[in-house]
Amino acid sequence: MSDGSVTSKQDTLLDVAGRPAIEFPEPPELSSHGPARIIAMVNQKGGVGKTTSTINLGASLAELGRRVLLVDFDPQGALSAGMGVNPYEVDLTVYNLLTDRKVDIHDVVVKTETEGVDLLPANIDLSAAEIQLVNEVAREQLLQGALRKVTDEYDVVLIDCQPSLGLLTVNALTAAHGVIIPLTAEFFALRAVALLVETIEKVQDRLNPGLQIDGVLPTMFDARTLHSREVLARLVDAFGDKVFHTVIKRTIKFADATVAAEPITAYAGTHQAAASYRNLAKELISRGGAP
């Protein structure tokens, strides 16, 4: 007969992956800002929620008093548009920063409507950068050099990478301290991760030995389907503790927020989707992935 001192398995709260649920604490306030921790949001597969996660994680970190710089590193300019900035109406973009040494990063940074969040915008011009930079000396380190001038002004820099493993993504990985891999709960997405991990390891070996995988973020999860649950289980088997406890569930609210050009935390602040990204920000800080 139990004396009640031992918690039974049935009493233990589990997360959607079947792991013991963790309630992440409110992080302490920062007394000063910088130097920033730089995080690349990377997956060579498109449509996995990279841009959505960059916007909403950035906005959630800002709500916690962190100064955030979002770097749009995709020629499609989706991050810029998602933050309410028309990438074709700005005078300078990250492309100018990479290709013209005379351009100062402070002249490229744009203030957004989200308090505490600034943006380095991008547009289709960036697609020419890979070709133009091929013969540049230390071409993999151009973004790192540009960001060095503002890291003391921010707590977190999030780089939204294009869906490829080309020179731009290698630049982001060379500049970063950590990598977050957003990944849809689908088998095809799972298969693509092996190539990405291989690229990260090459960058670690040759360009950035301090680079680490901060976590794998399951996105577009649908708990009603066996497929989603099976993929999540396999993800935990493959990556263990690297898989965030926070799982981003599928909802139309993300598309609505994109049309409104606002983070979900502003567009639908009381929705479960907003709560998920706020929890992700707390989890990232709790793991040491952000100050």
Side-chain angles (χ1 to χ4, degrees), residues 62-143:
E63 281 188 351
L64 295 172
R66 275 61 184 163
R67 289 210 66 207
V68 179
L69 176 65
L70 302 182
V71 180
D72 194 343
F73 221 45
D74 186 340
Q76 296 178 72
L79 176 67
S80 303
M83 291 302 295
V85 175
N86 186 331
Y88 297 98
E89 291 181 354
V90 292
D91 294 328
L92 296 168
T93 66
V94 72
Y95 166 77
N96 303 102
L97 198 58
L98 295 180
T99 57
D100 186 348
R101 287 185 185 179
K102 296 190 291 292
V103 172
D104 188 298
I105 189 170
H106 294 94
D107 295 330
V108 186
V109 170
V110 176
K111 296 282 182 188
T112 73
E113 294 291 320
T114 304
E115 187 178 348
V117 180
D118 291 346
L119 170 74
L120 270 180
N123 58 30
I124 197 65
D125 292 347
L126 187 58
S127 60
E130 298 221 20
I131 299 164
Q132 287 180 243
L133 299 176
V134 162
N135 296 318
E136 280 283 329
V137 175
R139 59 186 178 272
E140 300 92 352
Q141 294 160 332
L142 291 169
L143 181 62

Side-chain angles (χ1 to χ4, degrees), residues 56 248-249 251 253-254 264 268 270-278:
N56 294 304
I248 309 301
K249 295 179 181 176
T251 171
K253 285 292 182 185
F254 289 126
I264 193 76
T270 59
H271 193 272
Q272 178 59 41
S276 294
Y277 277 106
R278 290 186 178 113

Side-chain angles (χ1 to χ4, degrees), residues 22-244:
I22 299 174
E23 188 170 334
F24 297 98
E26 288 289 327
E29 289 185 20
L30 298 179
S31 56
S32 61
H33 298 290
R37 192 165 188 280
I38 301 171
I39 301 170
M41 309 286 284
V42 184
N43 193 324
Q44 80 274 23
K45 189 177 185 304
V48 297
K50 279 192 304 292
T51 301
T52 297
S53 294
T54 305
I55 290 170
N56 294 304
L57 175 57
S60 298
L61 287 166
E63 281 188 351
L64 295 172
R66 275 61 184 163
R67 289 210 66 207
V68 179
L69 176 65
L70 302 182
V71 180
D72 194 343
F73 221 45
D74 186 340
Q76 296 178 72
L79 176 67
S80 303
M83 291 302 295
V85 175
N86 186 331
Y88 297 98
E89 291 181 354
V90 292
D91 294 328
L92 296 168
T93 66
V94 72
Y95 166 77
N96 303 102
L97 198 58
L98 295 180
T99 57
D100 186 348
R101 287 185 185 179
K102 296 190 291 292
V103 172
D104 188 298
I105 189 170
H106 294 94
D107 295 330
V108 186
V109 170
V110 176
K111 296 282 182 188
T112 73
E113 294 291 320
T114 304
E115 187 178 348
V117 180
D118 291 346
L119 170 74
L120 270 180
N123 58 30
I124 197 65
D125 292 347
L126 187 58
S127 60
E130 298 221 20
I131 299 164
Q132 287 180 243
L133 299 176
V134 162
N135 296 318
E136 280 283 329
V137 175
R139 59 186 178 272
E140 300 92 352
Q141 294 160 332
L142 291 169
L143 181 62
Q144 182 183 49
L147 291 176
R148 195 176 293 134
K149 297 173 184 174
V150 293
T151 49
D152 284 344
E153 300 167 31
Y154 297 96
D155 302 305
V156 183
V157 177
L158 296 177
I159 308 171
D160 182 30
C161 296
Q162 67 178 148
S164 92
L165 295 178
L167 180 57
L168 291 178
T169 298
V170 171
N171 254 269
L173 293 172
T174 303
H177 301 104
V179 182
I180 291 177
I181 305 172
L183 189 71
T184 53
E186 298 169 353
F187 281 120
F188 286 124
L190 194 56
R191 288 173 62 187
V193 174
L195 186 59
L196 172 56
V197 171
E198 189 179 308
T199 301
I200 291 169
E201 288 172 349
K202 284 180 182 175
V203 172
Q204 287 170 326
D205 287 343
R206 302 171 190 176
L207 294 162
N208 185 2
L211 182 66
Q212 61 187 61
I213 296 176
D214 286 339
V216 177
L217 175 65
T219 62
M220 303 182 197
F221 179 78
D222 187 346
R224 297 169 300 178
T225 69
L226 178 62
H227 181 75
S228 278
R229 297 197 302 272
E230 285 180 345
V231 171
L232 185 57
R234 287 183 61 166
L235 201 57
V236 173
D237 285 343
F239 289 95
D241 290 342
K242 289 290 183 187
V243 180
F244 284 105

